[in-house]
Amino acid sequence: MAAQTDTPAAQSAGPTEWVGQRVKRKEDPRLLTGTGRYADDVQAVGELYCAILRSPHPHARIVRVDTSKAREIPGVVLAISGADAEPHWNQLMPVMDLLDMKLPRVYALATDKVHYEGEAVAAVAAESRYIAEDALDAIVVEYEPLPAVANLEDALGTVAPADVEVADGDVGRRAPTHEPLAVRGGGEPTALLYEEWGHNVQCDWEFEIGDPDKVFAEADHVVRRRVGTHRYSGMPMECRVVLAEHDAGRNQLTIRLSTQFPHQARTIFAATFGIPEPNIHVLADDVGAGYGNKLQVDSEVIPVLLAILTGRPIKWTENRRGWLTSAPHSRDYFHDIEGAFSSDGTLLALRNHIVGDEGCDGAVRAAGLGALLVGGTYSPGTYKVNSYKAHVQAVVTNKAPYGAYRGYGKETANLAIERLMDAAADQLGIDPIEIRRHNLIDTYPHELPSGPIIESGSFRQALEDVVEAMDLPALRRRQEEARAAGRYIGFSACVFLEPSAASIPMSVFNGYETASVRLTPDGQVMVLTGMQTIGQGMETAMAQITADRLGVRPDDVRIVYGDTNAVPYGLGSYASRGATYGMSAVYQAATQVREKLLKAAANLLEANADDLEVSDGVVSLVGAPARQIAVAEVAKAVYLFPGPYAVLPDEPNPTLEGNFVWTNPQVAWSPDEHGRVRLYPAHGGGAEGALVEVDVETGQVKVERLWVCHDVGKMINPAIVEAQVVGGMVQGFGGTMLEQLSYDDDGRMLTKTLNDYQVPNAMSAPPIELMHIETPSPITPLGTKGVGEAGCIGTPTVLMSAVEDALRPFGVSVDMTPLDPERVLRMIQASGAQLASGR
C-alpha cells in the first residue's frame, strides 16, 4: 500500500442506498416486546434441572465427596462427583496454545484439588430447580485446605516493595522505584497451583526490536511509570445457560447454549465427550450479551454430561452468584513502562513489563491470557517509535479463571502509553496535548515495532476535534476559579487505538469468517453466517449490506446464525470482528449472487449483463428503464420455470447462491523473522476527553462529561455505531469508578452479589458527546473497521488522568483503579498536602 497522509475527508467512500443509513434494528421488535428466544426460554419434554456444587475454599485438596444422601432425596435423579464423572469425559480442551504457555490438565468437575473459590466439585440433576439446589446441601465434601495464592506476591515469591500497595488482591503505587515487581527476589511462592509446572507463571513472553537499551542509555530523558487496574468483568443480562439432550440410539447431542462461538463450542464438546462433531448440534438463538465473557466452555459441559448419563434433557441456568464467583474475570494487571525521550519531547524507545493476575487459568477454562499479550503488543499505541522491548508475565493465583472482556488488552496498552505520555509531559515541561501532537502517527500504512500494521487512520484529527469540543481555555479558567473557591475539577484528553478482528494463531480465535447468501424463488434473501448475534445489531447491518448488493430492502433479508447444522463453520462474534470478517464475507457472497442474478436477467431480457442495474427489487437496462424484470421473476425463472440450466447455461453452479470465506490480507498465520505475530489486522481508533470534579473531603468523584471522536472506517449504520461506542464508554466508566471483584487476603471472594458489585445505570452514567470520522480501510471491501470495543479502551485512561489533574495541587499520582471514594481519599491523605481552602 502506498503511503497516505492523515486526511480522512479525502478518503470517504461514496454513498450507497442502505449502507450508511440509520436503519432501525431488525432485532429490536422481538427483543423489546419480550418475544426473543433465549436458551432458558426453550423447554424440553421431561427436562431435569442441573445445580452445581462449588468449592468454598480457594485452594484445597479433595479428600472425599459423598453424594449418597443427595441421591436419596425424592426428585433427585443423579448426583455425581468429579471422580464419578472422570470415566465419562476428557479433560477440558484449551482455547489457545502458543508461546510455550502452560496448560492446566483439568476436568470440569474437580477431581484431586480445587484452585479457586467457586470451582465445581459436584453436580445434581433433579425434577425441579428447587430440589436440585436443595440437594447440594446434602453432598458432603471433605477438604484439606492448602495455602492460598491470593496475589502476585504470593504467586511469584516476591517481597512487596515499599512502593506497592496490596489491597483486595490488587496492586497500587505509592512512590516510584520502578524496579519491576516480578523480578524482585525475596522468597518462595506461597504455594503452587499446578505442582508439575514448578512455578506459577502460565506464560512468560519477551520481545525486542531495535536497540532499546542503547537508546535509553543515550536519551536526554527517561520517563518511568507504574500503572495498573483492578479486577472486574462483564455483567451480561443473561448468565450462562445450557439445555442439553442426548439421543443414545443415534449418539447425538442437541445443545442450546448462551454463547458467542457456537461452532468452536461444538468442537470443544466433541473433544470433551469423544463424540463426532457431525453428531453434535449446537443452537444459539438470542444471547443476552457476550462482552467476551461467553468465549469458553467450562461449566457448560457439566449439564451435557448429566444429559448423557440420565438419558433426559438437562437444563442449567446459572444464577448471578455463580456468575460472579466462577465466570471469567478480567483486568487485574500492572505495567512498569518507561520511555526514552529527546529534549523536544520526541519518543525514541519504549520498555514495558506487564504482569497480570489471571486467576487459576487463562487458556483452558477461559480465554483471557491473550489480553496480556495484546497489551504487550500494542503498548506503542498511536505513536511513532522504532525501538521497543516488551516482557509479559501471566501469573496464576487462586481466583476465578481469567477471561475475555470488552477491550481485551487494548485498554491495557492504552493505559500504559497514554499515562506515560502524561508523565513525560510533566517531566519535560511540555503541554500534554502538544507532546501527543508531536509524536502521533501521521502516515499510513504504519507498522508498529511489534508487528501490527495500522492500515489507515485519523488520530491527529480525532484529537483536534475532541480538544476543540472540550474548549480547553475555558476549562482552564473554570479550573482556576474552582480552586480559588476550594473546589477541584480536572480534565484530560488522550488518543486511543482500537485493534479489531482478532487473528490469534494456535487458537480457536484465528482469522477468517464464512457466509452463504441465497436468493430464494420468491425473491427473498437468506444470509447464513458463522457470526453470532449477541445484541450488537449484526442482523440489521448484514441486511443493509445484502440489500445494497441485491437491490432489495433490508426487510427482505433474513439472517440465519447460531445453528451449527445450518450455517457454515465460522468463528462467532468477538473482538469487534463483525464489520470486518463477518460483513466482508457477506458482501463477497452477495456479490457472487449479484453477478449470477444479472447474468440470468440478461438472458431473460436479451441484454448484456454489464448494461444492467438492480435496485428497488427490479433489474433494469441502464438508460432504458422500461426494459426491466423483477428480482422475484428472475429467481422464479432460475429455480422453477424454465430452470437453472436454461437461464444460466454457462454457470457451473446455476443457482442464486454465493459462498465465501473471507480473511484479511494482513493476517499473519505464523511469526515473522523477528518473532512478531499480527494479533489484529484492522485498526479503528480516535480520541477521548473527560471532565471531573473531586470532593477532596470525601474522595467522591463526579464525572461531569465525556467526549469521544471515533473512526470506525465506513459506518454501515451510524445509529448502531453510536450505541456501541456509548455502551462501551459506560462500561469503561463503570469499571473505573464502581465495579470491583474483590478477594480478601486468604483468597476468598467478597463480592458475591450485585449488592456488593456495583454496575452503572442510566442515572449514574455521565453525559457523553460523540463525534465521528470516517477513514475507510483500504483492506475491507466496504472500508469498514471495528467498533464494539472503542468506548472501553480510552475511558479508564482519561478518567484517571482527569482525576490526577484535579488533584494536582496535592501532588497525587493516579496510577491505580478503582477510583472509588475510599481509594481517592486515601491517595489525598497519603500526599500529605494541605487543602487549598485551609480546611
Side-chain angles (χ1 to χ4, degrees):
M1 293 177 287
Q4 63 192 58
T5 58
D6 194 354
T7 53
Q11 304 170 32
S12 298
T16 55
E17 186 174 357
W18 293 108
V19 169
Q21 291 194 30
R22 294 174 176 269
V23 175
K24 289 185 177 180
R25 297 194 346 158
K26 293 167 66 71
E27 303 94 322
D28 285 351
R30 71 173 188 272
L31 298 178
L32 296 176
T33 59
T35 55
R37 183 167 60 181
Y38 300 90
D40 194 39
D41 292 330
V42 180
Q43 307 294 317
V45 176
E47 72 182 17
L48 301 174
Y49 298 85
C50 168
I52 298 173
L53 181 66
R54 299 189 178 276
S55 168
H57 300 282
H59 199 197
R61 298 201 183 279
I62 299 174
V63 178
R64 70 183 183 96
V65 180
D66 184 355
T67 60
S68 59
K69 289 283 195 282
R71 292 197 300 270
E72 295 171 0
I73 296 174
V76 172
V77 176
L78 181 65
I80 61 169
S81 65
D84 298 331
E86 187 172 346
H88 302 287
W89 57 13
N90 299 314
Q91 292 170 331
L92 290 172
M93 170 186 158
V95 294
M96 62 181 66
D97 183 4
L98 67 157
L99 300 176
D100 297 321
M101 61 180 56
K102 302 294 184 181
L103 299 174
R105 298 180 60 82
V106 293
Y107 293 92
L109 287 174
T111 54
D112 56 347
K113 76 172 187 174
V114 294
H115 303 85
Y116 65 99
E117 181 185 359
E119 184 167 359
V121 296
V124 170
E127 296 289 348
S128 77
R129 188 171 179 179
Y130 303 101
I131 295 173
E133 294 285 348
D134 289 345
L136 298 182
D137 294 334
I139 298 175
V140 177
V141 184
E142 183 180 341
Y143 295 97
E144 177 190 327
L146 297 170
V149 180
N151 51 49
L152 293 170
E153 290 74 30
D154 290 347
L156 295 167
T158 56
V159 176
D163 63 314
V164 172
E165 165 195 2
V166 181
D168 295 338
D170 63 21
V171 179
R173 177 176 179 269
R174 286 191 182 127
T177 64
H178 308 300
E179 185 182 346
L181 169 66
V183 298
R184 293 172 183 250
E188 294 295 322
T190 300
L192 297 177
L193 270 70
Y194 308 100
E195 287 82 359
E196 65 273 19
W197 294 5
H199 52 73
N200 288 317
V201 180
Q202 185 166 19
C203 183
D204 195 317
W205 174 67
E206 293 184 80
F207 167 81
E208 181 174 344
I209 194 166
D211 195 348
D213 292 341
K214 182 175 185 294
V215 176
F216 270 87
E218 298 174 352
D220 296 330
H221 300 274
V222 174
V223 181
R224 300 181 176 94
R225 192 152 205 172
R226 172 170 290 153
V227 295
T229 190
H230 63 293
R231 197 175 191 87
Y232 63 97
S233 195
M235 289 296 128
M237 175 183 72
E238 175 191 38
C239 299
R240 293 176 289 186
V241 182
V242 177
L243 173 59
E245 300 180 69
H246 182 239
D247 183 334
R250 294 179 174 85
N251 192 28
Q252 291 180 348
L253 279 170
T254 300
I255 305 168
R256 289 190 176 272
L257 193 63
S258 180
T259 185
Q260 294 176 234
F261 64 165
H263 278 104
Q264 295 100 313
R266 185 185 69 183
T267 298
I268 296 171
F269 285 126
T272 303
F273 296 104
I275 295 175
E277 284 202 47
N279 290 23
I280 301 176
H281 184 193
V282 172
L283 289 155
D285 290 313
D286 293 318
V287 174
Y291 306 134
N293 297 145
K294 294 176 181 174
L295 289 172
Q296 80 292 314
V297 175
D298 177 8
S299 294
E300 289 89 339
V301 303
I302 297 172
V304 177
L305 176 63
L306 297 182
I308 293 172
L309 296 179
T310 63
R312 291 177 61 179
I314 299 287
K315 179 177 284 186
W316 173 57
T317 303
E318 184 179 44
N319 60 27
R320 189 61 61 176
R321 183 187 179 98
W323 177 268
L324 283 162
T325 56
S326 63
H329 293 180
S330 191
R331 305 308 194 248
D332 206 352
Y333 58 81
F334 75 90
H335 296 256
D336 281 303
I337 187 168
E338 53 185 355
F341 289 84
S342 64
S343 293
D344 66 355
T346 301
L347 176 62
L348 305 172
L350 281 172
R351 293 190 295 221
N352 191 16
H353 184 192
I354 305 173
V355 182
D357 181 342
E358 58 169 5
C360 66
D361 168 48
V364 175
R365 294 178 175 94
L369 194 158
L372 299 174
L373 300 176
V374 173
T377 300
Y378 279 98
S379 286
T382 59
Y383 301 104
K384 294 175 285 190
V385 62
N386 294 320
S387 293
Y388 178 51
K389 178 189 286 188
H391 184 193
V392 177
Q393 291 180 300
V395 180
V396 292
T397 62
N398 291 124
K399 298 175 185 173
Y402 199 64
Y405 178 46
R406 199 174 194 175
Y408 198 70
K410 303 147 197 178
E411 86 300 327
T412 304
N414 184 261
L415 180 66
I417 187 62
E418 290 296 319
R419 298 300 283 129
L420 180 71
M421 297 303 284
D422 285 337
D426 286 344
Q427 185 170 321
L428 276 65
I430 301 174
D431 181 86
I433 302 300
E434 192 55 42
I435 199 170
R436 288 172 166 85
R437 288 178 178 136
H438 184 67
N439 287 286
L440 276 171
I441 296 164
D442 54 8
T443 59
Y444 305 91
H446 177 88
E447 185 176 31
L448 296 181
S450 48
I453 297 175
I454 302 176
E455 66 278 26
S456 64
S458 57
F459 305 111
R460 288 174 176 272
Q461 186 61 54
L463 178 62
E464 300 303 334
D465 287 356
V466 165
V467 167
E468 181 179 357
M470 293 175 72
D471 191 356
L472 295 187
L475 288 180
R476 290 190 182 100
R477 290 192 297 271
R478 182 183 165 195
Q479 184 180 60
E480 293 172 1
E481 293 168 358
R483 284 178 182 171
R487 294 170 49 234
Y488 297 87
I489 72 166
F491 50 88
S492 68
C494 80
V495 186
F496 66 88
L497 177 65
E498 183 185 12
S500 59
S503 53
I504 301 174
M506 299 300 294
S507 80
V508 300
F509 310 109
N510 54 54
Y512 69 93
E513 193 49 75
T514 56
S516 294
V517 174
R518 300 170 184 170
L519 190 59
T520 61
D522 62 352
Q524 301 292 298
V525 184
M526 290 178 63
V527 175
L528 295 88
T529 175
M531 300 286 298
Q532 175 63 35
T533 184
I534 53 174
Q536 77 276 49
M538 179 192 82
E539 294 174 68
T540 303
M542 285 187 172
Q544 289 177 254
I545 291 168
T546 307
D548 271 351
R549 289 278 79 196
L550 299 182
V552 297
R553 299 172 304 161
D555 287 346
D556 297 327
V557 182
R558 180 192 168 205
I559 311 299
V560 181
Y561 58 87
D563 184 339
T564 60
N565 278 9
V567 303
Y569 197 109
L571 301 186
S573 296
Y574 53 87
S576 304
R577 65 194 304 272
T580 52
Y581 288 120
M583 305 303 168
S584 296
V586 168
Y587 178 93
Q588 298 288 21
T591 297
Q592 292 177 351
V593 177
R594 177 189 178 91
E595 291 171 355
K596 290 194 279 188
L597 172 66
L598 293 177
K599 186 184 294 185
N603 288 336
L604 294 169
L605 291 172
E606 298 181 344
N608 189 316
D610 293 339
D611 297 329
L612 299 179
E613 62 182 2
V614 56
S615 64
D616 296 326
V618 173
V619 182
S620 60
L621 190 65
V622 176
R627 290 186 61 187
Q628 63 175 241
I629 185 171
V631 169
E633 289 300 315
V634 178
K636 181 179 178 181
V638 170
Y639 286 106
L640 302 172
F641 313 111
Y645 290 96
V647 182
L648 292 168
D650 300 322
E651 181 65 39
N653 297 298
T655 61
L656 298 178
E657 180 169 339
N659 303 283
F660 205 89
V661 179
W662 192 84
T663 187
N664 192 307
Q666 291 194 165
V667 169
W669 294 93
S670 59
D672 68 10
E673 67 274 16
H674 302 291
R676 303 181 299 184
V677 177
R678 296 176 192 158
L679 298 176
Y680 292 83
H683 300 87
E688 194 166 333
L691 173 65
V692 306
E693 180 170 354
V694 181
D695 185 328
V696 297
E697 294 187 332
T698 65
Q700 183 71 42
V701 177
K702 178 184 178 182
V703 181
E704 290 195 13
R705 183 169 292 273
L706 294 172
W707 293 264
V708 63
C709 181
H710 188 251
D711 184 350
V712 302
K714 176 64 179 177
M715 289 190 286
I716 297 171
N717 187 317
I720 292 176
V721 169
E722 290 167 5
Q724 287 290 310
V725 174
V726 169
M729 292 180 75
V730 172
Q731 281 187 301
F733 160 79
T736 307
M737 309 302 300
L738 303 172
E739 304 175 46
Q740 184 172 18
L741 292 163
S742 297
Y743 288 81
D744 66 16
D745 292 339
D746 296 319
R748 297 183 184 276
M749 193 165 195
L750 301 174
T751 45
K752 297 181 180 179
T753 73
L754 290 181
N755 285 330
D756 310 308
Y757 187 95
Q758 300 180 66
V759 292
N761 56 29
M763 299 298 293
S764 60
I768 296 172
E769 185 174 332
L770 181 61
M771 296 159 277
H772 294 296
I773 297 175
E774 290 188 85
T775 308
S777 167
I779 304 298
T780 57
L782 287 161
T784 51
K785 300 177 183 178
V787 64
E789 296 169 285
C792 285
I793 296 171
T795 303
T797 303
V798 291
L799 288 174
M800 291 173 71
S801 297
V803 171
E804 182 173 286
D805 185 56
L807 298 179
R808 194 170 296 276
F810 303 95
V812 170
S813 180
V814 179
D815 294 326
M816 193 68 199
T817 58
L819 300 182
D820 56 59
E822 180 182 0
R823 178 183 290 277
V824 172
L825 190 59
R826 198 163 66 233
M827 289 189 295
I828 296 170
Q829 293 169 342
S831 73
Q834 297 296 314
L835 298 184
S837 64
R839 291 189 293 253

